[in-house]
């Protein structure tokens, strides 16, 4: 697959993933986590705010892989 095609596919997948991830995390944050202790809220927002980085990084690495 050409790099250009992988970049197009990766961009669409990344946008869909980030939008759905943000919706899921925001719905959890507005629901159950509001009654949790402050330390649990901090841990949730720390993990929830950074958990998208690994899949996005792997996808970007795949997008940049040379042909071959």
């Amino acid at each position: 697959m050409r790099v250009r095609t992988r970049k197009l596919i990766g961009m669409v997948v990344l946008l869909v993933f980030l939008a759905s991830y943000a919706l899921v995390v925001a719905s959890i944050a507005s629901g159950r986590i509001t009654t949790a202790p402050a330390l649990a809220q901090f841990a949730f927002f720390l993990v929830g705010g950074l958990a998208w980085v690994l899949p996005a990084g792997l996808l970007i690495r795949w997008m940049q892989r040379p042909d071959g």
Side-chain angles (χ1 to χ4, degrees):
M1 185 180 305
R2 293 178 34 207
V3 174
R4 190 174 195 159
T5 307
R6 272 200 306 268
K7 284 184 180 183
L8 176 64
I9 293 169
M11 180 187 65
V12 171
V13 169
L14 187 60
L15 288 174
V16 169
F17 167 71
L18 287 178
S20 60
Y21 180 81
L23 285 173
V24 169
V25 171
S27 67
I28 294 171
S30 67
R32 297 179 182 261
I33 201 70
T34 57
T35 59
L39 188 58
Q41 288 182 13
F42 175 74
F44 170 77
F45 285 111
L46 181 68
V47 171
L50 295 174
W52 64 272
V53 174
L54 182 63
L58 292 173
L59 182 61
I60 291 170
R61 185 178 298 162
W62 173 78
M63 288 166 52
Q64 297 296 325
R65 195 175 68 203
D67 289 337

